[in-house]
Amino acid sequence: AQSVAQPEDQVNVAEGNPLTVKCTYSVSGNPYLFWYVQYPNRGLQFLLKYITGDNLVKGSYGFEAEFNKSQTSFHLKKPSALVSDSALYFCAVRGMEYGNKLVFGAGTILRVKS
Amino acid sequence: ETGVTQTPRHLVMGMTNKKSLKCEQHLGHNAMYWYKQSAKKPLELMFVYNFKEQTENNSVPSRFSPECPNSSHLFLHLHTLQPEDSALYLCASSQPTGSNEQFFGPGTRLTVL
């Protein structure tokens, strides 16, 4: 089976400060890992993915994520948060043996205050 | 979001009604998906279609009936729904290999009275 945990329901950060949204996963074999963002009344938007290679992945809007195989984590980071980053963030995993079936975490609300 | 469109954006229906949700993708993808998003619950995969063939039915009640007439269109036919079926229904598409990200539509907000 494959699963994703996002341990924080909400993360609060001041504008200009670095942010981290946590994600851990469980899957047999090597994972494909994804981050998506959802703004109110919108669908999910793809931010970045880890497939293989460099553990630090860079994505849209200045976001990046670090794959840590030993800790089975894929935390989302940004060096300097913007108020416009406030949204709902989802981590997702797909094990290579699961075809194109993606499993999502419960989501983390990010609030950036000015 | 313009790559995947969904209609209607909002739908209110009674428990005895029959309605359909429509999804269209303009990205040349060969896999399409239906998800259910309820408040404070993880996104639930409902159905997967690869090359117009259903490859996943995630124990979805038969009152939800999907249809995929071609690789660009996906429907979700609804009948005799329950109030707990009220949710945001999201359509997505991708290429069918595992490393490809999915592209989502804006969703249909469904309310069952």
Side-chain angles (χ1 to χ4, degrees), chain B residues 8-97:
Chain B
R9 293 293 307 273
H10 301 271
L11 177 63
V12 179
M13 59 186 290
M15 290 191 288
T16 58
N17 291 158
K18 290 184 179 181
K19 297 286 184 182
S20 294
L21 309 185
K22 178 182 177 182
C23 175
E24 183 174 3
Q25 59 96 0
H26 311 273
L27 302 168
H29 291 156
N30 290 300
M32 296 189 76
Y33 314 80
W34 280 117
Y35 289 90
K36 177 183 179 182
Q37 185 177 25
S38 305
K40 300 185 179 181
K41 291 179 68 176
L43 213 62
E44 300 173 52
L45 179 65
M46 300 175 71
F47 301 104
V48 179
Y49 278 82
N50 288 310
F51 297 96
K52 301 186 296 180
E53 298 297 321
Q54 185 176 309
T55 56
E56 185 81 27
N57 178 337
N58 205 21
S59 302
V60 180
S62 59
R63 57 185 182 271
F64 295 90
S65 175
E67 178 190 3
C68 189
N70 55 62
S71 292
S72 298
H73 293 86
L74 185 65
F75 295 89
L76 188 63
H77 304 299
L78 316 171
H79 64 98
T80 58
L81 294 191
Q82 304 298 313
E84 59 264 30
D85 296 323
S86 299
L88 182 68
Y89 288 85
L90 293 165
C91 173
S93 72
S94 75
Q95 292 300 0
T97 53

Side-chain angles (χ1 to χ4, degrees), chain A residues 36 38 42-43 49 94 100, chain B residues 1 37 50 98-99 101-102:
Chain A
Y36 288 83
Q38 186 178 31
R42 305 278 290 275
K49 66 181 178 183
R94 180 189 296 131
N100 53 350
Chain B
E1 286 186 15
Q37 185 177 25
N50 288 310
S99 61
E101 60 271 27
Q102 295 177 12

